[in-house]
Amino acid sequence: MKITAAKVIVTCPGRNFVTVKIETDEGVHGIGDATLNGRELAVASYLEDHLIPCLIGRDPRQSEDIWHYLYRGAYWRRGPVTMSAIAAIDTALWDIKAKLADMPLYQLLGGASRSGVMVYGHANGRDIEEACDEVARYREMGYHAIRAQCGIPGLDSTYGVSGDKLFYEPADADLPTENVWSTEHYLRHVPKLFEALRDRFGFEPHLLHDVHHRLTPIEAARLGKDLEPYRLFWLEDAVPAENQEAFRTIRQHTTTPLAVGEVFNSLWDCKTLIEEGLVDYIRATVVHAGGVTHLRRIADLAALNHVRTGCHGATDLSPVCMGAALHFDLWVPNFGIQEYMRHTEETDAVFPHAYTFENGYLYPGEAPGHGVDIDEDLAAKYPYQRAYLPVNRLRDGTIWHW
Ligand code: CS2
Ligand code: MG
């Protein structure tokens, strides 16, 4: 069996997506997500100009060999562009293998370890009251777990707060929007949000919060401590994670569970965090962490160290990534939770998919493969539009973490 063709499809049904489609001499095709928010065309070029020429004529069933061929063969290993490109090809190959085996991908991975995939949604509000009302709305939709973000008095804008209530697109302009950040304002306000949420909803709903990389370790330790009475499911990306050892400071001071990893591209980005038990949930996901092949390795190391998965699932990760992630989630023994930010109707039309939502859970479906496809004619109607993620500056103008 041979790969006969492969192409990159760039489309923008509400936001930009990059997809790889691999075709074979047995008429079976597979697709994979390669979307890297704000850097989409870099991955598209890496695929078109460097990886796809190496694929033609290879046996698509040899996904492990092809993974290492592309990873070790690059010489210049790792990084978000390389690993998103490898991830897209890997996901498409697993899609093909599962279709050849005429089974849903989770069966090929080892079968279902649970009946459904618990997800969390994003409730956000310009203030605490609006955020609480949004949490109530998610409860009505059947969610058992909800991430809560709200506006910070004194700041014009902050991460995770937007007019969109079911999906969220931070890449909002064709040049980076500059926002002003103040840690002092934020640290004073966030505990009040969770106090109000627990007062209104009690301790039944799982509540999550995303700091979005903006604190120093000791500030994160303080926030974790201040939030302990509200029993969060997790506190996410409390500090930038390049320096894994910095999490020791947070761990020393708080029992609030920690989640990290959506920006991770390989096992090496989280090896210390996992082996030292410095985090409780690893958020690496199919599209940015080298595909199904490599994400399994991260999950296996995590399982050895009581760390569970909490895969990233934002709107800028395409339905192809979500489909593959749900099969991974249904199989992975140390599953924790899956993020589920919805997509626009246009996006859902371009990417027809088998997964379904019911009562706070997603179900990947029983279609052979990962259950997601792409309508190329419809995709062609939405040309690429350059869009950047914002940048943050402190009030004195210092560049900060967005
Ligand atoms: C976020 C994302 O969903 C999350 O947890 O951190 O919204 C993130 O900001 C975007 O994926 C960046 O493109
Ligand atoms: Mg996040």
Side-chain angles (χ1 to χ4, degrees):
M1 183 176 188
K2 293 199 176 336
I3 294 172
T4 50
K7 61 183 162 186
V8 176
I9 303 159
V10 179
T11 181
C12 189
R15 61 144 292 115
N16 296 311
F17 293 111
V18 178
T19 306
V20 159
K21 183 171 184 176
I22 295 178
E23 292 166 348
T24 67
D25 57 359
E26 294 196 8
V28 177
H29 75 272
I31 63 172
D33 182 23
T35 308
L36 186 64
N37 203 0
R39 299 290 183 272
E40 292 89 354
L41 298 185
V43 185
S45 163
Y46 194 101
L47 284 159
E48 257 160 6
D49 301 326
H50 303 297
L51 298 194
I52 286 177
C54 303
L55 287 182
I56 309 307
R58 291 182 182 280
D59 183 336
R61 296 165 296 184
Q62 292 192 291
S63 54
E64 190 71 37
D65 176 72
I66 290 173
W67 194 94
H68 292 285
Y69 181 91
L70 298 176
Y71 179 78
R72 296 177 186 174
Y75 190 64
W76 314 105
R77 299 180 182 185
R78 298 162 59 188
V81 173
T82 299
M83 299 308 282
S84 299
I86 294 176
I89 290 173
D90 184 75
T91 305
L93 296 178
W94 278 97
D95 191 21
I96 289 169
K97 286 151 72 84
K99 286 174 179 171
L100 288 171
D102 193 24
M103 59 174 71
L105 176 56
Y106 75 83
Q107 288 292 14
L108 200 59
L109 293 171
S113 298
R114 54 201 55 80
S115 55
V117 173
M118 184 170 76
V119 296
Y120 71 90
H122 286 224
N124 76 80
R126 285 159 297 184
D127 55 31
I128 290 180
E129 193 187 343
E130 188 181 72
C132 287
D133 292 345
E134 274 302 297
V135 167
R137 204 164 67 84
Y138 272 87
R139 299 275 290 156
E140 281 148 27
M141 288 192 275
Y143 284 79
H144 308 287
I146 301 148
R147 187 188 86 167
Q149 312 281 141
C150 73
I152 306 295
L155 297 182
D156 295 342
S157 68
T158 190
Y159 167 74
V161 178
S162 80
D164 304 328
K165 294 304 180 190
L166 275 180
F167 43 82
Y168 170 62
E169 182 44 62
D172 58 2
D174 71 347
L175 280 174
T177 305
E178 294 208 6
N179 297 329
V180 175
W181 173 252
S182 159
T183 294
E184 296 72 30
H185 285 69
Y186 172 79
L187 287 179
R188 275 201 297 273
H189 198 61
V190 169
K192 295 178 186 155
L193 167 64
F194 287 92
E195 180 183 14
L197 287 167
R198 287 306 187 200
D199 282 352
R200 181 160 166 185
F201 302 102
F203 284 81
E204 174 59 29
H206 296 299
L207 294 176
L208 302 81
H209 182 70
D210 193 344
V211 180
H212 221 259
H213 324 272
R214 294 169 186 210
L215 305 178
T216 64
I218 203 63
E219 290 166 347
R222 186 173 126 207
L223 178 62
K225 218 171 170 57
D226 289 350
L227 292 173
E228 280 174 11
Y230 311 118
R231 297 273 185 276
L232 267 62
F233 184 93
W234 79 34
L235 189 63
E236 176 185 338
D237 285 333
V239 296
E242 292 97 326
N243 175 351
Q244 298 180 51
E245 289 76 12
F247 277 72
R248 293 177 186 147
T249 303
I250 312 174
R251 224 20 165 193
Q252 277 164 14
H253 293 282
T254 181
T255 57
T256 292
L258 302 174
V260 70
E262 68 182 51
V263 298
F264 289 169
N265 315 116
S266 85
L267 188 54
W268 308 104
D269 295 331
C270 51
K271 188 171 178 293
T272 302
L273 288 168
I274 290 175
E275 288 178 338
E276 290 191 19
L278 297 175
V279 295
D280 304 284
Y281 297 92
I282 192 70
R283 300 219 345 107
T285 199
V286 173
V287 61
H288 299 137
V292 172
T293 296
H294 195 60
L295 189 60
R296 293 205 302 176
R297 303 223 147 86
I298 294 174
D300 288 344
L301 178 69
L304 295 179
N305 295 281
H306 307 291
V307 176
R308 286 174 282 180
T309 66
C311 292
H312 188 204
T315 300
D316 51 280
L317 282 60
S318 91
V320 182
C321 177
M322 180 55 78
L326 290 173
H327 284 274
F328 169 86
D329 291 332
L330 201 66
W331 155 77
V332 69
N334 48 323
F335 172 75
I337 198 166
Q338 168 70 48
E339 177 180 7
Y340 178 41
M341 248 198 223
R342 302 192 184 207
H343 294 101
T344 63
E345 281 175 20
E346 295 89 358
T347 297
D348 284 341
V350 168
F351 296 100
H353 49 267
Y355 58 77
T356 54
F357 174 84
E358 193 188 334
N359 200 22
Y361 288 80
L362 275 173
Y363 301 88
E366 297 301 318
H370 55 46
V372 187
D373 212 335
I374 185 167
D375 180 330
E376 292 183 60
D377 298 336
L378 199 49
K381 292 197 170 84
Y382 300 99
Y384 170 79
Q385 291 174 34
R386 190 178 72 190
Y388 288 88
L389 287 167
V391 298
N392 253 349
R393 288 187 184 277
L394 301 180
R395 289 179 294 176
D396 67 2
T398 306
I399 276 284
W400 198 241
H401 315 289
W402 176 75

